[in-house]
Amino acid sequence: MIDKNIPKATLHEHLTATITPVRALKIAQRNKISVPDGLISPPDEDNPRGSFNYDLSDINNFFWAYDTICNLVINPIDYYEVLHDFLTYSANEGALIAEFQVSPLYYGVKDKHNIIDSPIDEEMYKDIFAAITSAIDDAQNQTGIVSSIVAVSLRSWGNRGVMKVLDFIEKHPNPLYRGFGFVENESFGNFADYEEGIYRALKEGYRFAPHAGEQCGPQSVWDALKYNPERIGHGIRSIEDPMLVKELIKRGITLEVCLSSNHALLPLYKDSWSSHPIRKLYDAGVKISLACDDAGMFGTSIGREYEIAKSILNFSDDDLLTFTKNAINASFIPENVKDNILKKAKL
Ligand SMILES: [Zn+2]
């Protein structure tokens, strides 16, 4: 049972992938897109928000399902609904903060498979971003949940991609853009390949929160550390290098740990929950926070991630509160807002 009274916070969500099956069905119908047979089941007693059905034993099948489902989301109203659903649902489970990773260029191009080389439709971007902002504002007014955004580039876009993302958000500034990061398989590029872009992002005041130590081992986290990240997306494979664990503790870096995602996607941790390194990292003194990664795709929620930590991995309520405190302290929301939230939640 999810304990709604435990305050929660999530720092690692990919906006479009928070979509629930029931919302995906409604959007597909409205956008007149046919969904492959069997991919989405409507709600029933066991799954009140419906379910996505795909074979997780094949990573390519996951990527196919991910693309198919996320590509249903096209219009500003679609984005509004997907995000508003996630924020209000999370707030109802006790979440105080939710931070999102978005690829700003993604919202301005029609060809989602060739974003970096496509011309950008600035009006389309503005309309979609306005819808995202409205969802954040409405959810905050209705529930109190506070959000901010980590702008991301894809690793395979190289330094050109980072520069293009930074140019774009410079042209379309918004105070919600507070962090900078990278997505995509870690083997698709090294941080050194985009060093110029990373230094520019840091100089422009964006706070660095890249994915690392998920598909690739400790070296990917060491590579990230060169650029002073405040948080690491996943970072769990740091456990394979005791020196790295010490370094994370010394620097006070918070890991954004996504249990359901790791369990579903990483062969190392598929066999049993106890193989996941969260317990060892936490006991060693690494700052841990919990998140969903792709809440809709994995049929999870921030409440469920906390519940997995408690009932399957035996973390106490005090440990869960520590996760929340770590997340709030490491979030990129303004300091005064952060202080108020910590005080109100008595953390
Ligand atoms: Zn992620």
Side-chain angles (χ1 to χ4, degrees):
M1 263 300 267
I2 291 163
D3 184 348
K4 295 180 179 179
N5 294 317
I6 297 229
K8 304 172 184 72
T10 170
L11 302 178
H12 190 120
E13 307 295 339
H14 299 276
L15 194 156
T16 315
T18 64
I19 188 169
T20 60
V22 66
R23 181 61 70 193
L25 282 173
K26 282 182 191 162
I27 290 176
Q29 204 173 26
R30 186 169 62 215
N31 292 343
K32 300 187 172 48
I33 301 173
S34 62
V35 175
D37 273 354
L39 179 61
I40 311 177
S41 300
D44 58 28
E45 233 170 78
D46 294 334
N47 297 294
R49 296 193 291 167
S51 56
F52 292 130
N53 313 301
Y54 50 87
D55 178 12
L56 263 171
S57 64
D58 175 358
I59 191 76
N60 291 320
N61 197 272
F62 170 74
F63 288 132
W64 167 79
Y66 193 102
D67 269 0
T68 306
I69 292 161
C70 290
N71 285 337
L72 299 172
V73 183
I74 298 169
N75 299 306
I77 179 70
D78 308 338
Y79 284 96
Y80 177 92
E81 290 171 348
V82 168
L83 183 53
H84 189 263
D85 282 351
F86 180 77
L87 290 173
T88 50
Y89 195 89
S90 302
N92 188 39
E93 291 185 326
L96 307 172
I97 286 179
E99 289 200 2
F100 295 90
Q101 307 196 25
V102 307
S103 165
L105 305 181
Y106 184 85
Y107 302 132
V109 297
K110 288 200 173 71
D111 182 3
K112 307 289 188 205
H113 294 102
N114 186 23
I115 295 172
I116 189 70
D117 290 314
S118 296
I120 295 174
D121 179 339
E122 311 231 346
E123 290 311 308
M124 182 161 90
Y125 165 83
K126 281 183 200 162
D127 289 346
I128 290 173
F129 202 82
I132 290 171
T133 309
S134 295
I136 288 173
D137 289 346
D138 288 352
Q140 185 170 352
N141 290 334
Q142 290 154 1
T143 68
I145 192 165
V146 180
S147 306
S148 63
I149 293 177
V150 174
V152 297
S153 182
L154 268 62
R155 282 182 181 254
S156 57
W157 292 349
N159 198 55
R160 190 173 144 238
V162 187
M163 291 302 192
K164 199 164 172 179
V165 171
L166 290 172
D167 285 344
F168 192 73
I169 56 180
E170 193 176 338
K171 197 171 169 196
H172 300 280
N174 190 294
L176 284 167
Y177 285 127
R178 298 191 179 107
F180 194 82
F182 291 93
V183 292
E184 237 183 0
N185 192 308
E186 289 155 31
S187 61
F188 289 1
N190 295 310
F191 293 113
D193 302 337
Y194 357 97
E195 188 165 85
E196 185 195 0
I198 297 173
Y199 282 135
R200 177 178 160 195
L202 292 172
K203 205 170 148 210
E204 290 178 1
Y206 297 106
R207 300 165 73 180
F208 196 35
H211 286 67
E214 181 193 14
Q215 288 104 358
C216 292
Q219 190 56 47
S220 67
V221 181
W222 281 116
D223 292 345
L225 292 192
K226 193 176 166 204
Y227 308 100
N228 291 324
E230 294 178 51
R231 310 187 320 228
I232 299 281
H234 302 284
I236 43 177
R237 291 192 58 193
S238 304
I239 199 66
E240 296 165 28
D241 180 347
M243 289 298 290
L244 178 56
V245 171
K246 276 190 192 150
E247 191 64 21
L248 292 174
I249 296 164
K250 194 173 108 194
R251 296 199 194 190
I253 290 172
T254 299
L255 302 187
E256 304 156 0
V257 177
C258 308
L259 293 168
S260 293
S261 166
N262 298 156
H263 189 59
L265 295 184
L266 301 182
L268 271 174
Y269 313 130
K270 267 185 177 176
D271 290 344
S272 72
W273 283 105
S274 58
S275 60
H276 195 284
I278 184 173
R279 167 60 72 186
K280 284 185 186 150
L281 288 162
Y282 181 74
D283 287 350
V286 177
K287 288 187 175 168
I288 301 291
S289 65
L290 296 180
C292 310
D293 208 5
D294 305 314
M297 294 303 302
F298 299 122
T300 191
S301 66
I302 191 59
R304 188 171 141 72
E305 295 302 299
Y306 274 66
E307 182 52 28
I308 291 168
K310 182 174 174 172
S311 59
I312 302 180
L313 298 166
N314 298 318
F315 284 100
S316 68
D317 284 354
D318 278 349
D319 296 330
L320 301 187
L321 291 173
T322 302
F323 296 156
T324 303
K325 211 155 102 179
N326 290 341
I328 296 174
N329 281 325
S331 82
F332 298 156
I333 60 169
E335 290 303 314
N336 59 330
V337 180
K338 200 184 277 191
D339 289 347
N340 278 340
I341 290 174
L342 285 168
K343 228 182 272 165
K344 245 187 179 165
K346 299 191 177 75
L347 287 167

